Each structure stands twice: as structure tokens, then as C-alpha cells.
């Protein structure tokens, strides 16, 4: 939105009052005014007031109302129209965004009825184009403003430090603001958070919040912070983050509670373990592999939805990364033993013949089962041999009925190859 001279002068006046006034109420009024203007004039308020707002947070920490007005203003500057919705601040092209979700969105907005004619379609297309252009402009502004904010890493420490205050609004706004910053400049946010060892310690406490709004938004934030950053992953692991995340999953009742929350939890666990063998060892030694069993116990009776399918696929990926051939043989062996003892392998073998399972779940089940038995039949040899005797039939059925599905066909072949290898090896001994 264009800023006329009067608005620019108002912003300048309010910023000056915030910096120089000796009256507390006068500074509060200035904060309220800047907060109101930041919604529509984020660039102008950001250019003049970003640093004064941060300095006010540092100087007036005991005044919760003023701190919250400053945080709100900064949040509007960074995220603009998305400031009130942390989960919606991620780009639409994000790889974690579901295809099904996008499909549902397209189905919901059906093609216009024929009686609207060409002019109606043209009007709708123009409207969509304008909305897309507005989103792109807003995102570009967010990137630029986030970069300015993050050039000084102590700015992150300033806002994270406010989470020590026992105030719901303060903590919630901080999480929303960090979500917005991570959306625009994830790597810079990760680096800034790591620059002060207290940052992650304080933020990790937010997932144990009694207020679900804060806890759930904090999970959304950690889905991003744990992406492709082993330093953050390792620090969190030593902050007992695995315990906190597993506790939330148990609290939500696995797939019987809020599936979106469980999905975020599993996403975090996968981020922290998939390419991090040190964290895999901590996960194993903490007894967390066994705590995934309730997912497999209920899988036969699941009413499949896209969200539940995504959860089960992530559980399987977590299990599979523990026994990946790229890991050290000793780590793989220990994980295989645990998975056989606690019954995960038995459950996976049962699932291989289950009916009405989504293709993605069946594919991941086969990949995971084959990696668990590779090089380690152990006490479940009978179960595996029974599975191996059924594999040719299943394989023929898949190739015959679903030969167009390359992913499933490759998974069948991969599974059959490893089980057959174990069968031949055991017979030759």
C-alpha cells in the first residue's frame, strides 16, 4: 500500500515519541499507533521503527503490554497479512505441502458454470492473477525485511528472551514471528538461533506449553528449524527433545487424537534422525523405537485419510532410517534386534498381505521390512521365510495388476531381493 506524506510523518512522529518520551503512557500510545500502522504500511514502519521497537523491548521488559505491542508490530512487518497464521506462512511450493491438499483445494474451486460465459471466466482469472501477484509481492517484501532484521543475530536473542515471561500473548506472538522469519530466511534464522546457546533451550520449552495454541505453533516452527541442520538437531537431542515429542504423540493418542499435531511431531523426529546417525543412537538408547509400536498395532483398523497415511509413512521412514545400509553395521544390527524383539518386524510382515492399504504405505512397508531383515534374520526366521514364500505371488500380482505403478513395483522387487538373499544365505549355512 502506498504511503502518503501524512502517514510517513505520523510514523516518524510516533517513532520519535517511542525513543524520546519520558512518560510511560506516551511511549505505550506510540507503540499502539505503530502497531496499527504496521498492518498496512509494513515497509515504512519497518524502515523507521524496527530498531526502536527492538530497543524498547530491551529497555522496557517489565512492561508486558508495551512488549506485546512491539512484538505485534514486528510480526506485522515481517509477515504482513499472514502474521496471524503461523501454519499458513509457508510457501505453497513447500515440499511438505501435500498433493492431496492441493488437489482438494482445486476441487473445492470448481470451474465456473457455463452460464457465466467467457467474461465470467476472464474476470475470475484476472482476480486469481491479482491475488497471486499480491502474494508474491508480500513474500518479496517479507524476504527483504526479514534479511534486515536478521543481519544482527542479537535481534533473535532479544525476542526469544521474552519467552521467559509468563505471558501467553508474548510467547504466542514470538512463535508466530519466528515462523514468519523462517518462512523467508530459514538458514539465517537457524544461524541466528545457534549464535546464542540459550535460544534453543528456551524455544524447546515451548513444545511443553500447557497452552495448545503455543505448543502446536511451536511444533510448526520446529518442523522447519530441524530441516537440514545437524547442529540444531544435535542440540535438541541433548535437550531431551525426543522425550518431549514422544510425550506429545502419546498425549494425543497417536492416531486417535489431533492427527495434524502428530504429523508435525513425526516430521520433527524424521528430520532429526534421517541423516543423523548420532541422533539415531540417542533415539535407540532412549527406548523410543519401541514407543512407535502403537502406530503399528492400530494400522489394520485405520480409517485411511490423507493425514493418517502421511503419519504412517513417516513412522515407517523413521524406522527405516535406523536400519539404512548407509549406517554403521553395529548400529544397524542393534536396531534390527530391537525391532524384532518389540514386534515391529512381525507387524510389518502382517501388513504385507493386508488388504485396502494405501499404495504409499505398502511401498514403505516393503522397503522397511526388507531393510530390517537384511543381514539379520534372528529369531524371526520362520516369519520371514513364510513371507518370502508369499513374495513371488504378491510380486506377480503387483506386476500384472498395477504394472503402471513404478514405485510399488520397484518396492516389491527390492523387498523380494533382500528376503531371497537371506533365504539363500541361511540355506547355505
Amino acid at each position: 500500500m502506498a504511503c502518503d506524506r501524512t502517514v510517513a510523518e505520523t510514523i516518524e512522529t510516533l517513532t520519535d515519541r517511542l525513543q524520546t518520551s519520558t512518560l510511560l503512557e506516551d511511549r505505550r500510545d506510540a507503540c499502539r499507533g505503530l502497531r496499527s500502522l504496521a498492518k498496512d504500511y509494513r515497509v515504512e514502519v519497518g524502515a523507521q521503527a524496527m530498531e526502536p521497537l527492538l530497543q524498547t523491548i530491551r529497555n522496557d521488559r517489565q512492561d508486558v503490554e508495551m512488549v506485546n505491542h512491539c512484538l505485534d508490530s514486528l510480526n506485522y512487518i515481517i509477515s504482513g497479512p499472514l502474521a496471524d497464521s503461523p501454519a499458513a506462512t509457508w510457501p505453497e511450493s513447500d515440499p511438505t505441502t501435500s498433493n492431496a491438499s492441493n488437489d482438494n483445494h482445486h476441487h473445492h474451486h470448481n470451474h465456473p458454470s457455463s452460464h457465466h460465459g467467457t467474461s465470467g471466466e476472464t474476470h475470475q482469472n484476472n482476480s486469481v492473477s491479482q491475488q497471486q501477484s499480491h502474494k508474491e509481492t508480500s513474500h518479496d517484501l517479507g524476504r527483504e525485511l526479514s534479511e534486515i532484521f536478521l543481519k544482527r543475530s542479537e535481534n533473535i536473542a532479544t525476542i526469544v528472551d521474552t519467552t521467559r515471561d509468563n505471558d501467553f500473548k508474548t510467547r504466542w506472538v514470538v512463535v508466530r514471528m519466528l515462523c514468519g522469519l523462517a518462512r523467508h530466511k530459514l538458514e539465517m534464522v537457524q544461524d541466528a538461533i545457534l549464535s546464542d546457546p540459550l535460544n534453543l533451550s528456551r524455544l524447546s520449552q515451548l513444545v511443553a506449553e500447557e497452552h495448545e495454541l503455543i505448543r502446536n505453533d511451536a511444533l510448526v516452527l520446529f518442523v522447519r528449524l530441524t530441516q537440514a541442520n545437524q547442529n540444531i538437531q544435535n542440540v535438541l537431542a541433548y535437550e531431551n527433545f525426543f522425550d518431549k515429542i514422544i510425550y506429545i504423540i502419546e498425549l494425543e493418542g497417536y492416531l486417535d487424537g489431533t492427527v495434524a499435531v502428530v504429523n508435525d511431531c513425526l516430521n520433527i523426529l524424521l528430520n532429526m534422525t534421517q541423516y543423523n546417525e548420532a541422533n539415531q543412537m540417542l533415539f535407540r538408547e532412549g527406548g523410543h523405537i519401541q514407543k512407535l509400536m502403537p502406530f503399528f498395532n492400530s494400522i489394520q483398523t485405520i480409517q485411511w485419510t490423507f493425514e493418517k497415511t502421511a503419519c504412517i509413512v513417516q513412522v515407517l521412514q523413521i524406522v527405516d532410517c535406523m536400519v539404512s545400509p548407509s549406517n554403521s553395521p553395529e548400529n544397524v544390527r542393534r536396531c534390527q534386534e530391537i525391532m524384532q524383539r518389540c514386534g515391529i518386524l512381525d507387524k510389518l510382515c502382517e501388513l504385507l498381505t493386508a488388504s485396502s492399504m494405501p499404495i504409499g504405505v505398502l511401498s514403505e512397508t516393503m522397503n522397511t521390512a526388507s531393510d530390517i531383515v537384511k543381514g539379520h534374520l534372528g529369531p524371526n526366521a520362520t516369519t520371514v521365510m513364510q513371507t518370502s514364500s508369499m513374495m513371488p505371488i504378491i510380486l506377480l500380482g503387483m506386476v500384472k495388476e498395477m504394472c503402471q505403478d513404478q514405485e510399488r513395483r520397484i518396492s516389491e522387487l527390492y523387498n523380494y531381493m533382500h528376503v531371497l538373499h537371506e533365504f539363500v544365505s541361511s540355506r547355505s549355512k
Side-chain angles (χ1 to χ4, degrees), residues 182-297:
R183 171 188 182 246
H184 298 302
K185 291 289 180 180
L186 177 59
E187 289 186 13
M188 289 184 72
V189 172
Q190 290 171 325
D191 291 342
I193 286 175
L194 286 169
S195 68
D196 186 334
L198 291 175
N199 286 336
L200 269 180
S201 179
R202 287 171 180 159
L203 289 175
S204 68
Q205 295 172 17
L206 297 179
V207 300
E209 262 280 350
E210 61 180 14
H211 298 288
E212 289 189 1
L213 282 173
I214 296 175
R215 183 202 70 180
N216 295 348
D217 289 345
L219 290 173
V220 173
L221 174 62
F222 276 106
V223 168
R224 281 314 175 101
L225 293 182
T226 54
Q227 278 188 351
N229 192 304
Q230 286 205 356
N231 290 327
I232 286 180
Q233 294 166 7
N234 293 342
V235 172
L236 288 175
Y238 283 102
E239 289 280 345
N240 296 319
F241 209 62
F242 286 137
D243 292 330
K244 294 174 183 176
I245 297 301
I246 292 292
Y247 176 74
I248 294 172
I249 292 174
E250 293 172 341
L251 197 64
E252 289 294 330
Y254 294 83
L255 295 181
D256 293 330
T258 308
V259 180
V261 172
V262 174
N263 188 55
D264 286 337
C265 290
L266 292 171
N267 204 334
I268 292 168
L269 294 180
L270 185 60
N271 286 346
M272 291 180 64
T273 56
Q274 192 163 31
Y275 303 108
N276 191 323
E277 193 166 359
N279 277 359
Q280 291 173 17
M281 293 173 62
L282 291 174
F283 192 84
R284 183 194 74 224
E285 292 168 358
H288 299 307
I289 293 176
Q290 299 92 314
K291 293 175 183 176
L292 299 177
M293 267 302 290
F295 284 107
F296 299 108
N297 290 333

Side-chain angles (χ1 to χ4, degrees), residues 102-112 124 128 131:
N102 291 336
D103 290 343
N104 289 340
H105 175 77
H106 293 310
H107 288 312
H108 180 71
H109 298 283
N110 251 330
H111 294 293
Q124 185 182 38
V128 170
Q131 290 176 3

Side-chain angles (χ1 to χ4, degrees), residues 119-403:
S119 61
E121 293 179 5
T122 303
H123 176 74
Q124 185 182 38
N125 290 337
N126 289 339
S127 176
V128 170
S129 177
Q130 290 172 358
Q131 290 176 3
Q132 183 62 31
S133 176
H134 177 71
K135 283 182 181 179
E136 291 173 358
T137 301
S138 178
H139 186 57
D140 290 340
L141 286 175
R143 276 200 300 263
E144 294 173 11
L145 293 164
S146 295
E147 186 170 359
I148 294 170
F149 182 92
L150 292 164
K151 280 182 178 177
R152 296 178 61 184
S153 59
E154 59 266 30
N155 290 343
I156 284 287
T158 295
I159 64 169
V160 170
D161 187 60
T162 63
T163 61
R164 291 189 300 153
D165 300 339
N166 190 26
D167 182 76
F168 167 81
K169 176 70 183 297
T170 301
R171 293 184 171 199
W172 195 23
V173 176
V174 168
V175 174
R176 285 186 291 167
M177 185 178 172
L178 288 171
C179 284
L181 288 166
R183 171 188 182 246
H184 298 302
K185 291 289 180 180
L186 177 59
E187 289 186 13
M188 289 184 72
V189 172
Q190 290 171 325
D191 291 342
I193 286 175
L194 286 169
S195 68
D196 186 334
L198 291 175
N199 286 336
L200 269 180
S201 179
R202 287 171 180 159
L203 289 175
S204 68
Q205 295 172 17
L206 297 179
V207 300
E209 262 280 350
E210 61 180 14
H211 298 288
E212 289 189 1
L213 282 173
I214 296 175
R215 183 202 70 180
N216 295 348
D217 289 345
L219 290 173
V220 173
L221 174 62
F222 276 106
V223 168
R224 281 314 175 101
L225 293 182
T226 54
Q227 278 188 351
N229 192 304
Q230 286 205 356
N231 290 327
I232 286 180
Q233 294 166 7
N234 293 342
V235 172
L236 288 175
Y238 283 102
E239 289 280 345
N240 296 319
F241 209 62
F242 286 137
D243 292 330
K244 294 174 183 176
I245 297 301
I246 292 292
Y247 176 74
I248 294 172
I249 292 174
E250 293 172 341
L251 197 64
E252 289 294 330
Y254 294 83
L255 295 181
D256 293 330
T258 308
V259 180
V261 172
V262 174
N263 188 55
D264 286 337
C265 290
L266 292 171
N267 204 334
I268 292 168
L269 294 180
L270 185 60
N271 286 346
M272 291 180 64
T273 56
Q274 192 163 31
Y275 303 108
N276 191 323
E277 193 166 359
N279 277 359
Q280 291 173 17
M281 293 173 62
L282 291 174
F283 192 84
R284 183 194 74 224
E285 292 168 358
H288 299 307
I289 293 176
Q290 299 92 314
K291 293 175 183 176
L292 299 177
M293 267 302 290
F295 284 107
F296 299 108
N297 290 333
S298 63
I299 204 168
Q300 295 274 30
T301 58
I302 287 178
Q303 297 295 315
W304 292 105
T305 62
F306 178 84
E307 290 77 14
K308 290 184 178 180
T309 299
C311 282
I312 294 299
V313 167
Q314 287 194 104
V315 173
L316 289 165
Q317 289 173 339
I318 292 167
V319 172
D320 193 33
C321 80
M322 302 283 173
V323 289
S324 169
S326 62
N327 295 344
S328 66
E330 179 62 18
N331 190 36
V332 170
R333 182 185 65 78
R334 291 188 178 186
C335 290
Q336 287 173 324
E337 289 174 351
I338 291 172
M339 291 170 190
Q340 292 188 14
R341 277 201 310 269
C342 74
I344 287 179
L345 179 59
D346 290 338
K347 285 294 180 181
L348 296 184
C349 290
E350 290 176 18
L351 293 176
L352 290 176
T353 56
S355 59
S356 303
M357 268 218 304
I359 297 297
V361 174
L362 185 57
S363 174
E364 286 296 336
T365 300
M366 291 172 178
N367 289 336
T368 304
S370 59
D371 279 337
I372 293 175
V373 302
K374 185 180 180 183
H376 190 83
L377 283 175
N380 288 274
T382 303
T383 303
V384 176
M385 290 306 103
Q386 290 173 348
T387 305
S388 70
S389 67
M390 297 173 65
M391 287 307 294
I393 300 172
I394 299 173
L395 177 63
L396 287 172
M398 294 302 108
V399 173
K400 185 175 180 181
E401 297 178 13
M402 303 195 68
C403 59

